[in-house]
Amino acid sequence: MTLTTVPAAHSPLDQKILEHFHGLVVRKDLTTELKQNAVVPTYVLEYLLGQHCATDDPTLIAEGLESVRRILAKHYVHRNQAELVKSTIKDKGTHKVIDKLTVTFNDKAGFHEVEFTNLGIKKVPIDDSYVKRYPKLLVGGIWAITDVEYELPVDPKASPWQIAGVKPIQVAGVDHDAFLAGRARFSTDEWMDVLMQSVGFNPVHFSRRAKLLTLIRLIPYCERNYNLLELGPKGTGKSHIFAEFSPHGMLISGSEVTAPKLFVSNANGKIGLVGYWDCICFDEFAGKDKKVDKTLVDIMKNYMANRTFSRGIEQLTAEASMVFMGNTQKSVAYMLKHSHFYEPLPDKYIDSAFLDRIHAFNPGWEVAPVRHELFCTGYGFVVDYIAEVLKRLRTEDYTGLYKPFFEVTSEVSTRDQTGFEKTFSGLMKILHPNGKATPQEIGELLDFAMECRRRVREQILRIDDTFKPNDFAYRDQQSGIEVLVLTPEEQQYPAFSGLRPLSSRTTADDITESPSHQQPDAPNPVEQAPQETPELSTPSLKERHLVVPENSRGWSYRRLFGDYLIGASGIIIRDPYIRAFHQIRNLVEFLRMVNEITPIGDEVNVHLITGSDQESMEKQVENLGQVQDSFAGTSTPFTWEIDASPNFHARSITASTGWKITLDRGLDLFQWFEFNAFNAAAVVQEARLVKGCEINYIAVKP
């Protein structure tokens, strides 16, 4: 297969990355294409690409790709070609191979032996100097370029294979000051996009909150002893970063770990994984049928709280962060109504003492399923480079950087405070590695960090009533405004979320609609969303302001507008952006909703006033004409007109019943989804992720 050698065009961000981090970036689509032919970790491929293709020169990229392909073809060991490689080593006497090496100690012979994962040769002696230099050889193994020699030994019991040299595939070192200087040339928004591209995603398809939900996964690499839990549907890429991103992290199956493997073997005193890795991710952690060692849970509780574990009477310490990833089977609303978010976990882990050690609960249900369009085709850091940067940042402590600007005003527990402060510290290191940010940016990260810890605490309250409920609130030191932090699911499902009355310390009037630090993509609602009922009824309508949380599900036109449109004989939609295919499809779904709530024999005339542009007008007129024709003869006859006024921006729905609904996004509420007959999101609006928006319901004179 011929690899693409040049993208259609460099984006301004790509050009900026190349300018300020020359030689440390790589085109991510090259990694994706190469990976189809070599089943090796991303950091291995990008190590090679970084050596040969860290440029924007098409000629040099083409030459570099050929070099990488030759290296992989000549030296990478495919399992099904292991015998051929062995024969090559025998014929040549020596040969370089790219393979994963794992070392064990032969206690009877008194020396270390190495096993090649793909090559399949075992019990190959290796000099102790390599083991001392690269201790991870003993725990989990490392990928390396190894010089392997073959010579028949005099002793028939000895191995004919010998190792002449080992070179781990990783960046030799990082100039941290140069990294900080380069970071200073990017705005916060640009830097978030750089990091998204570096982990392989196209930032164009992610909202600001969605980027935070992705980047929080990097915290275990830059924050010591950080404990993260993420549960969500299948296919959202939960384990992607932990499988491919860093040579300092290990992904293991949650059911495969044992206490000796993870901590220490009392039999031989051998330290386990926590002693060698910065981050250990337990994949497929959820599942009621998984066998769990209660002793392991108890050891983990102590380690996650105190960083210590025992070997007999001796106390040992380690710095490895723990990440737990698992799939959920139920919707958020179902779990809130019938159980709790921890319900998918094995029973022995549904332990309040264990769960209280979790610093942040990342809501995986807000993350869009991974699809082809989400992958990056631009430039990002060679993952091993950014992994080394994050490792360097583990020595920094940014937990208190919010205190000059914000004061925590609620009586949170010590573990709550530790949880959100470590999350805040990690996000600061990732986004503002020099420790400097605006009060607005600091407030945004503090708010998000407190939300992630609040989710841990609120769900624990459902399984253990001995835990004390408490609010999560902070005050802006400059403005004096106090903010009560709620999770999006509490805002969306107040009837199910078990919200407690606001304390006398905090009243609804104290909560600002939009704190000065808050970003447009993460609004703080002034009113909780109403709870949906199975059947549409005629409620007591009132004027109100509603904030729809970004990245949430469960919303539909019927839920948002239906009650206010019942009984209308005419509806006027003002939306300047009913132009593109998906926008007109939204219009059709709105008309279908009105049709469904209109009594048989009645008729509601729906008139659209929209805008246009020269490029799309012809197709827009054709599509709107088809809509008008198709709804003729139904309960919702449809007409439309184009307003060419340049000042036409406001979007609203006005009903003859005397209600006007203003929408800052118009009908375009939903995020992109795959439109096919087998996708629930194509036919059920509640199954779609929404864009954050604000809606006002205003009583007007009919």
Side-chain angles (χ1 to χ4, degrees):
M1 181 181 67
T2 302
L3 295 177
T4 306
T5 56
V6 65
H10 293 320
S11 70
L13 183 63
D14 286 338
Q15 294 172 358
K16 199 167 183 178
I17 297 171
L18 287 163
E19 177 184 354
H20 297 295
F21 290 98
H22 184 73
L24 300 170
V25 296
V26 67
R27 266 203 12 230
K28 294 296 175 173
D29 56 327
L30 302 182
T31 304
T32 302
E33 294 191 45
L34 278 176
K35 198 166 178 60
Q36 295 176 3
N37 296 320
V39 187
V40 296
T42 298
Y43 59 81
V44 173
L45 288 179
E46 293 197 355
Y47 173 85
L48 298 173
L49 288 170
Q51 299 283 310
H52 300 277
C53 301
T55 177
D56 62 342
D57 186 307
T59 302
L60 295 179
I61 287 178
E63 293 175 354
L65 278 172
E66 286 303 314
S67 297
V68 173
R69 292 162 71 183
R70 281 197 302 270
I71 291 170
L72 290 173
K74 186 176 181 180
H75 301 292
Y76 172 69
V77 180
H78 293 267
R79 289 179 184 270
N80 58 0
Q81 296 180 344
E83 295 304 317
L84 177 61
V85 175
K86 292 178 189 178
S87 179
T88 300
I89 299 171
K90 183 242 180 206
D91 292 341
K92 295 173 59 179
T94 183
H95 182 64
K96 292 182 184 294
V97 299
I98 298 175
D99 201 352
K100 186 176 182 180
L101 312 183
T102 306
V103 170
T104 56
F105 180 67
N106 187 328
D107 54 356
K108 293 182 180 180
F111 59 86
H112 289 92
E113 298 174 329
V114 67
E115 176 181 348
F116 288 75
T117 300
N118 290 347
L119 189 57
I121 58 177
K122 304 178 181 179
K123 300 184 180 301
V124 181
I126 184 171
D127 192 273
D128 288 349
S129 63
Y130 292 117
V131 179
K132 292 178 181 178
R133 203 180 315 165
Y134 313 119
K136 287 183 183 176
L137 283 165
L138 292 165
V139 186
I142 62 173
W143 282 85
I145 301 174
T146 308
D147 291 295
V148 183
E149 297 179 344
Y150 179 88
E151 183 178 353
L152 281 173
V154 176
D155 182 356
K157 294 183 179 180
S159 172
W161 308 101
Q162 302 294 326
I163 293 176
V166 176
K167 182 182 180 183
I169 295 178
Q170 61 186 60
V171 173
V174 172
D175 185 336
H176 194 67
D177 290 336
F179 170 77
L180 295 179
R183 162 63 183 96
R185 306 303 293 270
F186 293 79
S187 68
T188 300
D189 287 337
E190 289 174 332
W191 189 247
M192 292 180 78
D193 290 351
V194 168
L195 294 173
M196 290 295 292
Q197 292 189 177
S198 296
V199 298
F201 292 120
N202 186 345
V204 171
H205 298 296
F206 291 78
S207 67
R208 189 179 183 89
R209 177 174 173 83
K211 292 172 187 176
L212 286 175
L213 293 173
T214 300
L215 296 178
I216 192 177
R217 297 168 177 169
L218 298 181
I219 296 180
Y221 293 110
C222 66
E223 191 73 19
R224 293 169 174 164
N225 302 101
Y226 182 74
N227 307 318
L228 174 67
L229 172 66
E230 180 172 342
L231 301 175
K234 292 182 179 180
T236 56
K238 291 186 292 297
S239 60
H240 166 73
I241 286 177
F242 304 101
E244 304 287 346
F245 182 75
S246 171
H248 304 301
M250 167 165 277
L251 180 72
I252 59 178
S253 171
S255 60
E256 292 178 356
V257 70
T258 62
K261 180 179 180 180
L262 189 60
F263 294 104
V264 63
S265 171
N266 287 331
N268 57 24
K270 186 177 179 181
I271 302 299
L273 299 174
V274 295
Y276 296 90
W277 299 91
D278 291 346
C279 172
I280 300 170
C281 177
F282 299 83
D283 194 20
E284 304 296 336
F285 186 65
K288 291 296 184 184
D289 57 342
K290 287 185 168 56
K291 296 181 179 179
V292 178
D293 181 359
K294 185 64 168 64
T295 302
L296 173 62
V297 178
D298 292 337
I299 297 173
M300 289 180 68
K301 283 192 289 190
N302 187 60
Y303 173 75
M304 291 165 66
N306 307 312
R307 304 189 303 173
T308 62
F309 53 98
S310 300
R311 183 180 68 183
I313 61 173
E314 183 182 6
Q315 288 287 321
L316 303 174
T317 62
E319 297 181 353
S321 295
M322 297 283 195
V323 179
F324 306 95
M325 295 282 175
N327 295 328
T328 56
Q329 304 296 328
K330 305 294 186 181
S331 69
V332 172
Y334 182 93
M335 288 187 287
L336 287 174
K337 183 176 182 180
H338 298 283
S339 58
H340 47 80
F341 290 162
Y342 302 127
E343 193 273 336
L345 301 181
D347 290 338
K348 287 186 175 64
Y349 283 110
I350 305 178
D351 178 327
S352 57
F354 169 79
L355 296 168
D356 199 30
R357 270 76 168 171
I358 300 293
H359 296 127
F361 188 144
N362 200 33
W365 50 82
E366 289 193 36
V367 180
V370 173
R371 57 184 189 274
H372 177 73
E373 292 80 5
L374 294 183
F375 292 115
C376 174
T377 58
Y379 285 83
F381 288 122
V382 174
V383 291
D384 199 31
Y385 170 75
I386 192 64
E388 292 301 317
V389 168
L390 294 176
K391 183 176 179 64
R392 161 67 175 75
L393 286 167
R394 288 173 76 86
T395 62
E396 304 289 344
D397 180 8
Y398 291 174
T399 54
L401 293 184
Y402 69 89
K403 293 181 179 178
F405 307 99
F406 301 96
E407 175 190 5
V408 176
T409 55
S410 51
E411 295 181 1
V412 295
S413 70
T414 300
R415 288 214 171 105
D416 287 335
Q417 184 155 353
T418 299
F420 66 70
E421 285 188 345
K422 286 181 74 71
T423 302
F424 169 79
S425 176
L427 290 172
M428 282 292 293
K429 292 176 184 179
I430 292 165
L431 297 177
H432 309 284
N434 64 353
K436 299 178 182 178
T438 66
Q440 183 184 31
E441 292 169 336
I442 289 174
E444 177 192 19
L445 299 186
L446 176 62
D447 195 287
F448 182 74
M450 293 183 77
E451 173 207 316
C452 290
R453 174 58 195 185
R454 179 180 175 89
R455 186 173 291 106
V456 174
R457 168 55 66 117
E458 288 297 309
Q459 296 305 306
I460 288 177
L461 293 174
R462 290 169 170 258
I463 64 173
D464 190 339
D465 57 11
T466 65
F467 272 66
K468 178 184 176 182
N470 55 259
D471 291 332
F472 284 68
Y474 62 92
R475 179 184 294 114
D476 187 320
Q477 302 269 40
Q478 182 176 5
S479 67
I481 294 174
E482 185 168 316
V483 179
L484 176 65
V485 177
L486 301 174
T487 64
E489 58 270 14
E490 288 178 290
Q491 300 164 15
Q492 186 175 357
Y493 302 105
F496 298 156
S497 62
L499 282 177
R500 300 173 303 281
L502 299 181
S503 68
S504 58
R505 172 194 48 74
T506 307
T507 67
D509 292 336
D510 294 324
I511 305 173
T512 178
E513 174 182 349
S514 180
S516 59
H517 69 269
Q518 208 153 12
Q519 297 295 331
D521 279 330
N524 187 33
V526 297
E527 179 178 331
Q528 296 160 353
Q531 188 63 47
E532 179 72 333
T533 55
E535 298 295 332
L536 188 66
S537 59
T538 304
S540 177
L541 302 181
K542 62 179 181 178
E543 292 191 329
R544 61 192 179 99
H545 173 71
L546 173 67
V547 176
V548 177
E550 179 150 8
N551 272 30
S552 59
R553 288 186 173 91
W555 300 96
S556 66
Y557 289 157
R558 183 163 180 164
R559 176 179 179 182
L560 293 170
F561 312 131
D563 291 340
Y564 290 83
L565 302 180
I566 290 176
S569 59
I571 297 172
I572 298 175
I573 305 170
R574 290 180 172 84
D575 190 334
Y577 295 102
I578 306 293
R579 309 178 186 184
F581 175 83
H582 76 279
Q583 294 167 336
I584 297 178
R585 184 183 65 210
N586 289 338
L587 170 67
V588 171
E589 292 184 344
F590 178 87
L591 293 172
R592 183 180 66 188
M593 180 272 296
V594 175
N595 201 292
E596 290 172 351
I597 65 173
T598 301
I600 296 175
D602 290 349
E603 189 176 85
V604 181
N605 294 283
V606 181
H607 182 71
L608 168 69
I609 304 173
T610 189
S612 188
D613 57 57
Q614 293 299 320
E615 294 181 0
S616 62
M617 179 179 288
E618 183 176 352
K619 189 64 177 177
Q620 177 191 21
V621 169
E622 177 185 347
N623 290 338
L624 289 175
Q626 290 184 29
V627 174
Q628 182 171 353
D629 293 342
S630 66
F631 276 85
T634 70
S635 298
T636 51
F638 169 70
T639 55
W640 57 277
E641 65 178 280
I642 291 178
D643 185 341
S645 170
N647 297 320
F648 179 26
H649 300 295
R651 307 170 200 190
S652 65
I653 300 170
T654 305
S656 60
T657 52
W659 287 101
K660 180 176 182 178
I661 307 170
T662 64
L663 315 93
D664 59 355
R665 287 190 181 274
L667 296 179
D668 197 7
L669 305 175
F670 304 106
Q671 298 189 26
W672 186 95
F673 60 91
E674 186 177 0
F675 192 73
N676 67 61
F678 305 108
N679 186 2
V683 292
V684 180
Q685 290 184 338
E686 290 87 344
R688 304 172 190 172
L689 290 172
V690 299
K691 304 172 183 176
C693 63
E694 299 186 23
I695 302 174
N696 290 294
Y697 301 81
I698 306 167
V700 295
K701 186 176 181 180

